[in-house]
């Protein structure tokens, strides 16, 4: 049974803002043709799992099934549903299909069949950082979003991104030409002045998108399994639709697409077989929350605070610099009894005791095998070693080889392949 609720959109004044419970095949078959300007599909990915997640307060559990008998069953399921999507799309509409390495090869073939290979526009790689040691092999750190349009005449708004720090802005702002030897030189007017190249807005957005995955504590997270970030959907909606256009999500889950569409002044229609998902989507629409990404605002580089100068004291040994921790400078590549060795190098402004105390404090909860302080200068304080915590070893970088000391201690290289 299908149920729906219409909301008045503030910006468009058109009541096409709907969340509908049901199979998108049935619901879309009942709709008039050519009403959607943009379709985003984030369906089950052929993970062969039943996805289940609790809300942050653990009061509710949301789930959906991603279990299939075969690739053929999966392909048939999407062939039927993509055909009805095609029917409801306007001639200028685009469709974005979100998938991953489990089924991207199958989805690509079906999309080619429904839309025609000539209407394939892009394969977007959504990449994000993850921490996991659990498997042998490369850590999956991307998903695929395939973009097709209904025709060659489609809505597209170029998004410009910043030039990279190494770009020579001078060269971009001034016109260039080839001289008699074929060398690229600045083009000059009759007075010898360089000619401007018109205004530049940056580099057009590419097809690899580095957008952080929602962290478990993000305010935006509602506890729906595989919930996508609003930021990702905002980008797709901005690229391929205009204000008041209708955005359709036939597998809407917790309603991320609908929330992003609402925030950008688009109309929307969401469909999901799960009543729980529809109710959740509706409640998110009633009270939209988006987490700002500090990572995107300040850039990944801003998180790098390892002091490259000070790390030169470790030139004899292999180590990994530690970012985002003001007490630990490095983790050695070797370990003691399977536990890491944490290192701090004494700063000019601190005593060995202060250095050791900072390291000890920062190591709390890290189950370190050893704590090493590298002393970089002499102090006038007599007997400073007395106060050093017993589990911290102090090396004098000026008189003692750290590499030699490491050889004498019972320190091993970690096992390969972990
Ligand atoms: C990956 S989730 C969508 C997550 C969503 N993008 C979000 O950010 O919360 C896939 C959704 O597809 C729904 N679904 C599965 N089969 C469906 C069908 N035939 N019609 C409509 N929805 C379906 C599931 O209930 C599930 O909520």
């Amino acid at each position: 049974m299908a149920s729906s609720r219409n909301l008045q959109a503030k910006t468009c004044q058109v009541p096409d803002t709907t969340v509908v419970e049901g199979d998108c095949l049935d619901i879309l078959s009942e709709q008039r043709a050519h009403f959607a300007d943009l379709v985003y599909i984030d369906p089950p990915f052929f993970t062969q799992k039943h996805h289940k997640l609790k809300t942050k307060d653990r009061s509710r559990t949301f789930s959906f099934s991603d279990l299939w008998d075969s690739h053929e069953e999966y392909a048939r399921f999407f062939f039927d549903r993509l055909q009805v999507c095609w029917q409801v799309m306007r001639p200028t509409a685009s469709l974005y299909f979100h998938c991953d390495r489990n089924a991207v090869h199958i989805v690509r073939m079906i999309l080619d069949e429904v839309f025609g290979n000539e209407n394939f526009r892009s394969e977007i790689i959504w990449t994000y950082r993850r921490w996991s040691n659990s498997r042998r092999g490369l850590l999956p750190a991307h998903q695929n979003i395939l973009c097709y349009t209904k025709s060659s005449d489609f809505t597209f708004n170029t998004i410009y991104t910043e030039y990279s720090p190494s770009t020579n802005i001078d060269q971009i702002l001034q016109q260039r030409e080839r001289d008699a030897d074929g060398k690229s030189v600045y083009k000059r007017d009759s007075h010898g002045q360089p000619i401007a190249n018109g205004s530049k807005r940056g580099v057009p957005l590419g097809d690899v998108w580095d957008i952080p995955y929602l962290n478990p504590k993000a305010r935006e997270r509602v506890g729906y399994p595989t919930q996508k970030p609003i930021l990702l959907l905002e980008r797709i909606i901005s690229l391929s639709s205009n204000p008041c256009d209708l955005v359709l999500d036939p597998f809407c889950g917790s309603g991320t697409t609908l929330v992003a569409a609402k925030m950008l002044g688009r109309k929307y229609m969401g469909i999901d077989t799960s009543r729980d998902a529809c109710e959740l989507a509706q409640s998110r629409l009633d009270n939209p929350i988006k987490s700002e990404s500090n990572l995107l605002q300040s850039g990944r580089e801003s998180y790098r605070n390892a002091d490259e100068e000070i790390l030169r004291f470790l030139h004899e040994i292999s180590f990994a610099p530690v970012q985002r921790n003001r007490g630990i400078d490095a983790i050695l590549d070797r370990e003691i009894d399977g536990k890491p060795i944490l290192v701090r190098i004494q700063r000019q402004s601190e005593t060995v005791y202060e250095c050791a105390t900072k390291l000890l404090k920062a190591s709390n909860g890290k189950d370190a095998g050893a704590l090493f302080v590298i002393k970089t200068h002499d102090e006038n304080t007599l007997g400073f070693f007395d106060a050093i915590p017993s589990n911290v070893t102090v090396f004098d970088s000026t008189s003692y080889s750290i590499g030699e000391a490491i050889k004498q201690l019972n320190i091993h290289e970690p096992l390969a392949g972990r």
Side-chain angles (χ1 to χ4, degrees):
M1 194 195 79
S3 68
S4 76
R5 187 178 147 196
N6 288 338
L7 301 169
Q8 194 70 34
K10 277 186 191 140
T11 42
C12 301
Q13 310 270 306
V14 182
D16 291 64
T17 52
T18 325
V19 182
V20 187
E21 179 195 332
D23 183 333
C24 57
L25 178 63
D26 304 332
I27 305 294
L28 291 178
S29 306
E30 293 162 4
Q31 304 294 314
R32 66 190 157 90
H34 306 167
F35 75 87
D37 296 284
L38 169 62
V39 182
Y40 168 77
I41 295 184
D42 172 28
F45 281 8
F46 203 92
T47 56
Q48 297 296 39
K49 285 185 192 155
H50 188 79
H51 293 274
K52 212 167 158 187
L53 200 65
K54 275 190 176 9
T55 51
K56 272 182 256 175
D57 65 5
R58 310 195 83 67
S59 63
R60 283 190 82 177
T61 303
F62 294 104
S63 67
F64 68 87
S65 170
D66 188 10
L67 297 164
W68 306 85
D69 287 340
S70 61
H71 279 166
E72 288 70 29
E73 187 201 7
Y74 189 81
R76 257 195 316 276
F77 177 90
F78 282 106
F79 182 74
D80 294 344
R81 282 155 187 81
L82 283 168
Q83 277 193 320
V84 285
C85 284
W86 188 90
Q87 277 160 17
V88 300
M89 285 167 69
R90 280 191 214 276
T92 51
S94 307
L95 179 139
Y96 288 72
F97 196 112
H98 198 138
C99 51
D100 72 4
R101 65 210 188 100
N102 288 300
V104 60
H105 53 303
I106 303 170
V107 173
R108 180 78 198 260
M109 275 177 17
I110 304 163
L111 283 163
D112 272 354
E113 210 165 316
V114 176
F115 285 83
N117 179 252
E118 69 281 9
N119 289 317
F120 166 68
R121 299 289 156 214
S122 299
E123 176 171 2
I124 297 159
I125 302 298
W126 171 32
T127 168
Y128 40 79
R129 311 276 164 110
R130 301 169 81 184
W131 288 102
S132 170
N133 289 325
S134 61
R135 50 190 291 155
R136 191 173 167 89
L138 299 178
L139 180 71
H142 81 272
Q143 292 177 6
N144 314 59
I145 305 173
L146 300 169
C147 173
Y148 282 72
T149 55
K150 195 161 180 180
S151 70
S152 56
D153 177 21
F154 53 93
T155 302
F156 190 78
N157 306 308
T158 305
I159 292 179
Y160 291 92
T161 58
E162 281 179 18
Y163 294 110
S164 80
S166 58
T167 304
N168 184 344
I169 299 285
D170 255 24
Q171 288 188 1
I172 292 167
L173 296 178
Q174 291 167 14
Q175 283 187 36
R176 297 180 77 85
E177 62 182 353
R178 300 264 165 206
D179 69 7
D181 302 320
K183 202 175 140 206
S184 170
V185 294
Y186 290 127
K187 194 170 177 178
R188 294 181 188 274
D189 63 17
S190 53
H191 306 289
Q193 295 301 312
I195 303 171
N197 203 7
S199 65
K200 285 276 177 269
R201 285 177 285 181
V203 186
L205 181 67
D207 56 9
V208 178
W209 297 359
D210 183 355
I211 295 180
Y213 218 99
L214 278 181
N215 80 57
K217 291 192 181 146
R219 280 180 63 233
E220 186 181 317
R221 204 179 253 289
V222 290
Y224 201 79
T226 80
Q227 179 187 345
K228 303 298 178 297
I230 293 178
L231 248 155
L232 176 72
L233 271 303
E234 279 183 339
R235 190 173 277 187
I236 291 173
I237 292 170
S238 304
L239 279 174
S240 291
S241 73
N242 293 312
C244 292
D245 281 356
L246 192 138
V247 179
L248 167 67
D249 186 341
F251 294 79
C252 73
S254 68
T256 309
T257 312
L258 319 181
V259 173
K262 181 176 181 179
M263 285 174 156
L264 293 172
R266 271 61 166 178
K267 295 177 270 184
Y268 51 81
M269 179 182 197
I271 306 169
D272 204 288
T273 40
S274 152
R275 175 164 296 185
D276 284 349
C278 291
E279 283 173 8
L280 178 63
Q282 194 59 66
S283 69
R284 282 184 82 188
L285 285 161
D286 293 342
N287 180 24
I289 295 174
K290 178 184 159 200
S291 303
E292 293 303 331
S293 166
N294 293 335
L295 199 65
L296 283 191
Q297 268 171 10
S298 28
R300 289 202 188 281
E301 282 308 301
S302 68
Y303 283 84
R304 296 175 65 84
N305 61 14
D307 188 333
E308 305 294 337
E309 193 59 37
I310 202 99
L311 287 172
R312 293 202 184 141
F313 283 99
L314 293 179
H315 64 94
E316 286 180 80
I317 43 182
S318 308
F319 64 92
V322 172
Q323 315 287 350
R324 303 179 67 178
N325 190 312
R326 304 221 172 261
I328 306 168
D329 290 319
I331 301 178
L332 298 195
D333 281 0
R334 289 158 184 260
E335 54 191 28
I336 294 181
D337 298 331
K339 294 180 178 180
I341 302 171
L342 311 182
V343 182
R344 179 174 175 81
I345 295 139
Q346 182 193 14
R347 306 295 196 272
Q348 274 304 321
S349 58
E350 67 192 12
T351 64
V352 175
Y353 171 73
E354 285 164 347
C355 179
T357 315
K358 278 183 196 161
L359 176 61
L360 189 64
K361 199 168 158 209
S363 71
N364 194 11
K366 300 202 166 45
D367 197 21
L371 302 176
F372 287 0
V373 156
I374 314 296
K375 177 176 170 257
T376 57
H377 55 274
D378 283 327
E379 294 161 26
N380 294 328
T381 338
L382 283 177
F384 65 84
F385 276 112
D386 294 346
I388 304 296
S390 58
N391 46 351
V392 177
T393 311
V394 179
F395 296 102
D396 188 335
S397 68
T398 52
S399 64
Y400 190 69
S401 157
I402 301 158
E404 277 308 304
I406 281 171
K407 273 186 220 151
Q408 283 167 28
L409 288 166
N410 182 24
I411 296 178
H412 308 286
E413 289 188 45
L415 293 174
R418 276 193 300 163

